[in-house]
Amino acid sequence: MPRTVLLRCSIDVKQAGQVLLKLNQPIEAISTWLDSRPTPTPGPDEPISLTVGKHRLVFGVKVDSTNGQFGMQIVPAESRPAAVEILATFP
């Protein structure tokens, strides 16, 4: 059974819109939850829509399928950019 590590971050969306999650691991090795709801892990060019307010992102990373290093950037999408502030990250 693969080992999975959970990583989470809290974000505050100041302007509703879309963001891209730039992950440094294959999406097949990552499970994603947005506000406690399972969400398909988006590819690098697949935007996710966010509403104004605070949200929590949780990532389940299959350690055996990765190089042991996880990185993520939140980038505003070009079509409908959201304004997002990362409040905190927790290992």
Side-chain angles (χ1 to χ4, degrees):
M1 175 177 255
R3 294 179 307 154
T4 300
V5 174
L6 295 176
L7 304 165
R8 62 185 168 140
C9 71
S10 296
I11 59 174
D12 189 8
V13 178
K14 305 290 187 183
Q15 176 181 315
Q18 296 180 326
V19 296
L20 301 173
L21 298 180
K22 300 291 187 174
L23 306 168
N24 72 341
Q25 299 296 333
I27 62 172
E28 298 80 19
I30 302 170
S31 300
T32 305
W33 292 265
L34 175 60
D35 297 329
S36 301
R37 292 185 311 268
T39 304
T41 301
D45 298 318
E46 296 177 63
I48 61 170
S49 295
L50 296 171
T51 58
V52 170
K54 293 183 177 153
H55 300 278
R56 183 183 306 202
L57 282 165
V58 176
F59 301 98
V61 181
K62 296 180 183 111
V63 177
D64 299 336
S65 301
T66 67
N67 64 10
Q69 298 180 5
F70 177 78
M72 184 261 313
Q73 289 181 304
I74 298 175
V75 179
E78 288 185 25
S79 59
R80 286 186 39 232
V84 177
E85 175 185 357
I86 297 176
L87 299 175
T89 58
F90 305 95

